[in-house]
Amino acid sequence: MESSALPVEDELPANRRWNIVGDSAALRHVLDQVEIVAPTDATVVLLGETGTGKELVARAIHEASERRHRRFIKVNCAAIPSGLLESELFGHERGAFTGAIAQRIGRFELGHGGTLFLDEVGELPLELQPKLLRVLQEHEFERVGGTRTINVDIRLIAATNRDLPGMVEAGRFRDDLYYRLNVFPIAIPPLRDRPDDVDALVDHFVGEYASRMNRHVDVITRDTREVLRSYPWPGNVRELQNVIQRAVILSPGGRLILPPLPVSPPPRPAPDEPNTLEGMQRALVTRVLEETNGVIGGPNGAAVRLGLKRTTLQSMIKRFGLSLPHEAAESEIHSHGRCRRLGREHEESWALA
Ligand SMILES: Nc1ncnc2c1ncn2[C@@H]1O[C@H](COP(=O)(O)OP(=O)(O)OP(=O)(O)O)[C@@H](O)[C@H]1O
Ligand SMILES: [Mg+2]
């Protein structure tokens, strides 16, 4: 058979599909796993630090599956108060609880035939875990306050940056659910462990933001590249994206000018240090703030991760004399909105390409 000179979509390199940028061996391994698991209906659990691209990979799995023409529904377990999560997921009947003035269809029913992305699954309250296990195993559930059993066909992709085995050991996550979710785990490595992706990501985001802001940035010096490659990126690709956005704003000429990067986080204490309660708290708060890039509030913020009220965390930060990367909280919220819009544009331009 004669081969065509024009590449068909399946012949494009895996990392050109789904807007996932980077060509490191570690990222290629992730994309290979996406290709393998996507066409099956297996449950996938995505493991990785904040900002590594878990949601992007979840969408890629959906896009590469037979379910791509059906819905991709996302539920962030950390963003919904635990009392409302059951109704959000499974729906409720009218009068099921005070305030349930009408029947409500939950996300599982809405996503019938498609994919449900359960983000921050480690935050799922213990009492809801058996119900999730039942949907995964028996494909059935009842709405809150209802008696009729509803059958659904849904593919579940879960994500977490928590240590699920540790949570199982501590009795905060059911072991049967953990094993059921862990059918096909995919670990997305932090950006500092795949510096080979940094150049491509920088070029990608410079191109995107320059065209959005009508700027022409075509010079990135070797020193700038070196600074970007060697920075440890505690907030991973999301942090890099924010830094590039700021850099493009700061670069009216042709050369990319970087904003000051936060001072490298202090090395983590040795395992046998510190040995006071206060020292441990300080180390934990420092580490979580590093991981959230200094963001305190919001569903992915340090307060939620530490199980503290925002104001309690703020007074601890003050008491421990910790400093935050400047403007962290603000730029995070700001760039979230922009990321989303950017993501949609990607999809549109990809569809046109
Ligand atoms: N390889 C990549 N190529 C292009 N963009 C990426 C890549 N990885 C991540 N991003 C972008 O970085 C941002 C963060 O990615 P994403 O939301 O998927 O991370 P996450 O792991 O779900 O983070 P969190 O745990 O904080 O929810 C998004 O704007 C995403 O589009
Ligand atoms: Mg996410």
Side-chain angles (χ1 to χ4, degrees):
M1 213 174 82
E2 239 181 66
S3 67
S4 156
L6 291 170
V8 293
E9 194 190 293
D10 280 353
E11 288 170 353
L12 289 170
N15 60 336
R16 286 289 308 282
R17 279 187 260 163
W18 318 308
N19 296 318
I20 297 179
V21 176
D23 198 31
S24 63
L27 188 66
R28 268 188 278 132
H29 180 63
V30 168
L31 296 176
D32 287 347
Q33 289 176 294
V34 168
E35 300 255 19
I36 291 168
V37 79
T40 75
D41 253 349
T43 302
V44 177
V45 62
L46 301 170
L47 309 164
E49 290 178 11
T50 184
T52 45
K54 296 185 292 298
E55 185 169 340
L56 205 59
V57 169
R59 288 182 189 276
I61 294 171
H62 174 73
E63 286 302 319
S65 78
E66 293 296 316
R67 294 170 183 262
R68 72 179 73 88
H69 301 298
R70 309 299 289 269
R71 283 187 168 146
F72 176 90
I73 291 197
K74 176 188 162 184
V75 179
N76 185 337
C77 300
I80 299 166
S82 55
L84 298 182
L85 196 53
E86 182 173 8
S87 153
E88 181 73 21
L89 290 173
F90 303 105
H92 62 242
E93 297 294 351
R94 187 172 164 209
F97 46 83
T98 318
I101 50 170
Q103 186 196 62
R104 179 169 192 222
I105 303 295
R107 299 303 180 113
F108 269 98
E109 260 180 280
L110 271 180
H112 181 63
T115 304
L116 182 76
F117 175 44
L118 210 49
D119 204 359
E120 315 258 10
V121 73
E123 310 302 321
L124 192 73
L126 259 179
E127 65 273 14
L128 256 189
Q129 295 180 13
K131 197 158 177 174
L132 177 62
L133 184 63
R134 181 167 163 231
V135 195
L136 291 178
Q137 289 185 168
E138 324 286 341
H139 310 284
E140 61 180 34
F141 64 91
E142 286 91 33
R143 294 186 193 129
V144 179
T147 49
R148 188 164 67 86
T149 299
I150 295 165
N151 289 288
V152 277
D153 161 30
I154 209 151
R155 201 258 181 95
L156 189 89
I157 303 177
T160 184
N161 49 25
R162 297 288 218 89
D163 164 28
L164 283 186
M167 291 181 70
V168 169
E169 218 161 278
R172 283 186 292 134
F173 204 85
R174 288 179 67 108
D175 56 355
D176 46 9
L177 178 59
Y178 170 67
Y179 293 122
R180 187 64 191 70
L181 287 177
N182 210 32
V183 176
F184 199 92
I186 300 181
I188 308 177
L191 190 54
R192 65 183 164 280
D193 291 350
R194 44 185 171 107
D196 288 350
D197 286 340
V198 171
D199 279 343
L201 284 164
V202 168
D203 292 344
H204 170 73
F205 290 128
V206 166
E208 287 296 335
Y209 287 115
S211 82
R212 285 166 63 85
M213 295 176 202
N214 232 346
R215 292 259 156 103
H216 298 278
V217 180
D218 44 17
V219 179
I220 305 176
T221 64
R222 201 176 296 170
D223 283 355
T224 299
R225 289 216 184 261
E226 191 42 46
V227 168
L228 292 167
R229 275 178 76 100
S230 52
Y231 180 69
W233 300 113
N236 294 290
V237 182
R238 182 180 293 113
E239 186 187 8
L240 181 138
Q241 187 173 6
N242 292 346
V243 165
I244 296 300
Q245 186 183 2
R246 285 207 288 270
V248 171
I249 294 169
L250 290 171
S251 310
R255 189 165 65 88
L256 188 74
I257 298 166
L258 289 184
L261 293 176
V263 181
S264 297
R268 296 189 180 177
D272 54 343
E273 279 179 289
N275 51 13
T276 62
L277 183 59
E278 171 123 341
M280 285 179 200
Q281 285 180 337
R282 188 180 196 282
L284 180 64
V285 169
T286 308
R287 178 161 65 76
V288 173
L289 284 170
E290 259 172 57
E291 286 169 5
T292 64
N293 194 20
V295 176
I296 299 173
N300 295 319
V304 167
R305 282 167 198 233
L306 289 162
L308 293 173
K309 284 208 298 204
R310 192 188 168 118
T311 44
T312 311
L313 178 57
Q314 276 163 337
S315 53
M316 284 174 100
I317 291 170
K318 220 167 162 184
R319 180 153 53 89
F320 296 147
L322 301 175
S323 58
L324 298 175
H326 63 282
E327 297 173 341
E330 217 186 326
S331 66
E332 174 84 354
I333 293 162
H334 205 65
S335 64
H336 256 291
R338 287 175 188 267
C339 301
R340 294 268 145 67
R341 286 204 296 278
L342 188 62
R344 270 206 295 278
E345 275 172 18
H346 280 185
E347 274 167 33
E348 279 158 20
S349 55
W350 187 247
L352 289 173

